Structures are given as structure tokens and as C-alpha cells.
Amino acid sequence: MWFKSTLSALWLATLARGAIKTEADGTVKSIGLRTHTLSQPYLDSDMQSRWYDFGGDTVIRTDSYIRLTADRPSQTGWLFSRVPLTATNWEIEVEFKIHGKNQLYGDGFAMWLTKERAKEGPVFGFQDNFEGLGIFFDTYKNNRPGVVFPYIMAMVGDGKTSYPKDTDGKETEFAGCSARGIRHASVSTKMRLTYFQDKYLKLELQYKNEDEWTLCFETNEPPAIPQVAYLGFSAETGELSDNHDIISISAKNLYQTQPTGRPTPGSTRKGKTPSEGGSWTWFFFKVLFFFGLIGGGYVGYTAWRANSKRSHRF
């Protein structure tokens, strides 16, 4: 009975120690960025958005979508934040929709994090020679053999380099992936761009099944985003056309909590630091020693009591 009780106590002590170690691990948390988030009805009572400007051929239907271009030729539309994105680490999730009635379609839309804002031009409706990051959802193949379209690619602009439209950006591509089925998908189409300064940049897509995210690209050597960068979207159509809709934008500031129970910089004392294995051994030794004392006391008390009974008989 005493042996079973000892084992139970040891098991509970082990569980408690494991729980303390788990809670000490740091985790990534998020805070919503209202200044860069947009959802229905998109506009306020004055038919304006507090945090976003729009222009060109953009049409807003307050109960459904922000249509950057309609399924008509030669259209250009844009949507840009009014204030820059100042967060060091962030996550931007966008629900969008690319669709139309034609078998041939184009050209596509783009997401921007750039120094410039709200300037129309030839790169998916935005200006060329931009400075910052562009994510292009290219639906029309000009001249890029061996690549399946629609194709999604990132370009890092330095303010001087032009986007090579004739080769669909091949020479200036930072990273990319094919996404066949993202147009006219049977589920809500979304993109999620996650950025940790100097740590990583990751783009994920949802277009195959609900809540199934497909990795487009990921890098541990992310580009430098301008300190003053505006979040924006643009689209264009040429001879071919398509509807390019933004349904919602969700932006978050990311931060990592500091692990608890660890020494802060400058507080570590000099000397030998016990290893993890050594600390576990010392922990179990103390527990066993404690219960050994209790067991020894119990055995001694039982023996003394038995001897006392024999003395009383004589």
C-alpha cells in the first residue's frame, strides 16, 4: 500500500514539473490592426472609408465586395491604406475572388507594401519602378515557357528596376508558385502573408478546401520592407478581362512573448550551470529521500510497537 502511494506521488510530481516547463515556453501572439483591416460594409455614412482610399475603376458594393476591375477591357482600379504599416512583424490575411464569364481572361491583381501609394501604372494597375514588396496574382501568360498559370510571384522593388511584363516577371522574381484552380475556386479564396523582420517571410493560399492552407513560398532571408510602407491592392485588364474582387482584409501585429522562469540578460551568475539531466536526477533523489524517511519511520514505529506488546505479556 505504501509502495503504491509513493509511486502515485512521484507521478503527480513529474506531471507538475512538466507543466511548469511547458508554460515557460514563449509563444507568438497577435493584436488586430484596425488601421489596415477592412470588412463589410467597407464605407461609413459619408460613403468614405476611414482607413482606405480607392480610385480608378474601383466599385464598392457595401454588402458584397470591393471590385478593383469589372469583367470589361481596359480597366484599372486600386485600394490603398491611408496610413503606413508601422508594425515590425505582421500578418495580413485577404479574402479575394477572381472570376468572369470568358474562357480567355486577364490580367490579374497585386498586393503592395510600398513607399508609394495610390499611383496608377502598368504593373497590375500600379506604377512601375516601385520601392517595396509586390505580390502578383498573374492570370494571363505572356511568355514564360514551362510555368503553369495562374502564377503568383513576389518582387522586391528598389525604386529603379522595372517589372518585365513581357516575360511575366521572370527576371525579377523573388519567389513564387503556380496556383491552378485559384480562379473560379469552389471555396473562398484567401491569401495569408506573414512577415517577421530579419527572420522569415511566408505566403500561404486557401483555394483547394476550406481551412486548408497551401504553402506558396517561405524564406528565412526575407527582404527589407520600407519603414514607411503602405498596404494596397490594384488590378488591371487589357484586351482580356476578369472580375478582381477584394472581400475582406485582416491585419495583425505579431509579437513573441518572453519565456518565463529564465534569467534575463545580465542576471546570470558566474559558475557551473547544472544540466537538464542533472536537475531531473537531483529532483527524483530528493523525492525518493523524502518518502524513504517516511517509510523508515513507519517501519521503526511498527517494530517498536510490536516489541512493546511482547513486554506487556511477560
Side-chain angles (χ1 to χ4, degrees):
M1 184 70 181
W2 173 83
F3 181 70
K4 290 182 179 179
S5 301
T6 304
L7 285 180
S8 299
L10 283 171
W11 176 244
L12 289 172
T14 304
L15 287 178
R17 185 174 173 86
I20 292 171
K21 186 179 179 182
T22 302
E23 290 172 1
D25 292 338
T27 57
V28 175
K29 294 186 178 181
S30 64
I31 300 174
L33 291 172
R34 185 184 175 190
T35 52
H36 293 80
T37 296
L38 191 60
S39 58
Q40 298 172 8
Y42 311 118
L43 304 176
D44 54 29
S45 57
D46 297 328
M47 299 305 291
Q48 295 290 327
S49 171
R50 181 178 181 182
W51 303 114
Y52 279 86
D53 285 327
F54 59 94
D57 295 302
T58 300
V59 174
I60 297 180
R61 184 169 172 176
T62 57
D63 63 341
S64 301
Y65 52 71
I66 300 172
R67 180 156 291 171
L68 301 175
T69 66
D71 192 358
R72 288 194 282 273
S74 304
Q75 287 208 334
T76 299
W78 53 265
L79 174 74
F80 262 88
S81 65
R82 291 187 173 186
V83 297
L85 182 64
T86 56
T88 304
N89 311 311
W90 41 259
E91 178 185 281
I92 300 170
E93 185 174 312
V94 183
E95 183 178 351
F96 61 91
K97 189 175 183 180
I98 308 172
H99 60 109
K101 61 181 184 296
N102 300 314
Q103 293 297 319
L104 294 175
Y105 45 85
D107 286 323
F109 82 98
M111 171 181 167
W112 304 96
L113 284 153
T114 55
K115 246 181 162 180
E116 310 83 7
R117 65 178 295 275
K119 294 184 178 180
E120 291 186 19
V123 185
F124 298 96
F126 188 58
Q127 73 167 34
D128 202 358
N129 302 314
F130 62 90
E131 186 173 350
L133 177 66
I135 307 291
F136 308 146
F137 290 71
D138 195 347
T139 58
Y140 181 73
K141 187 174 184 178
N142 288 300
N143 183 22
R144 196 160 179 185
V147 175
V148 176
F149 276 65
Y151 191 76
I152 301 164
M153 64 159 275
M155 174 180 169
V156 182
D158 57 5
K160 301 174 183 178
T161 305
S162 294
Y163 170 72
K165 197 168 188 176
D166 292 340
T167 58
D168 300 307
K170 180 180 179 180
E171 294 81 4
T172 58
E173 179 179 342
F174 176 77
C177 68
S178 296
R180 176 182 287 173
I182 202 166
R183 180 180 182 269
H184 275 308
S186 59
V187 299
S188 300
T189 47
K190 298 180 182 179
M191 61 167 289
R192 183 164 63 199
L193 187 66
T194 307
Y195 177 78
F196 263 82
Q197 189 178 50
D198 301 327
K199 291 184 179 180
Y200 70 85
L201 175 71
K202 179 169 66 173
L203 177 64
E204 300 168 283
L205 306 169
Q206 176 189 287
Y207 65 97
K208 297 177 180 179
N209 296 295
E210 289 286 351
D211 300 321
E212 179 184 323
W213 291 92
T214 301
L215 179 65
C216 180
F217 63 78
E218 182 176 16
T219 176
N220 293 323
E221 298 180 358
I225 306 294
Q227 290 185 349
V228 177
Y230 294 90
L231 173 62
F233 303 85
S234 66
E236 70 172 347
T237 62
E239 294 181 8
L240 303 177
S241 60
D242 235 350
N243 296 307
H244 300 99
D245 301 341
I246 301 295
I247 310 301
S248 65
I249 305 167
S250 174
K252 299 176 182 178
N253 178 25
L254 302 180
Y255 66 96
Q256 192 165 14
T257 58
Q258 292 297 326
T260 58
R262 296 182 183 178
T264 56
S267 65
T268 305
R269 297 180 181 177
K270 293 182 180 179
K272 186 178 178 182
T273 303
S275 64
E276 186 67 25
S279 62
W280 271 98
T281 304
W282 179 240
F283 172 74
F284 276 113
F285 175 77
K286 288 191 291 185
V287 172
L288 288 171
F289 181 73
F290 174 73
F291 282 104
L293 285 177
I294 294 175
Y298 177 76
V299 171
Y301 172 74
T302 305
W304 174 81
R305 192 175 174 185
N307 289 332
S308 297
K309 288 182 179 180
R310 286 197 206 97
S311 347
H312 284 305
R313 287 178 185 174
F314 296 99

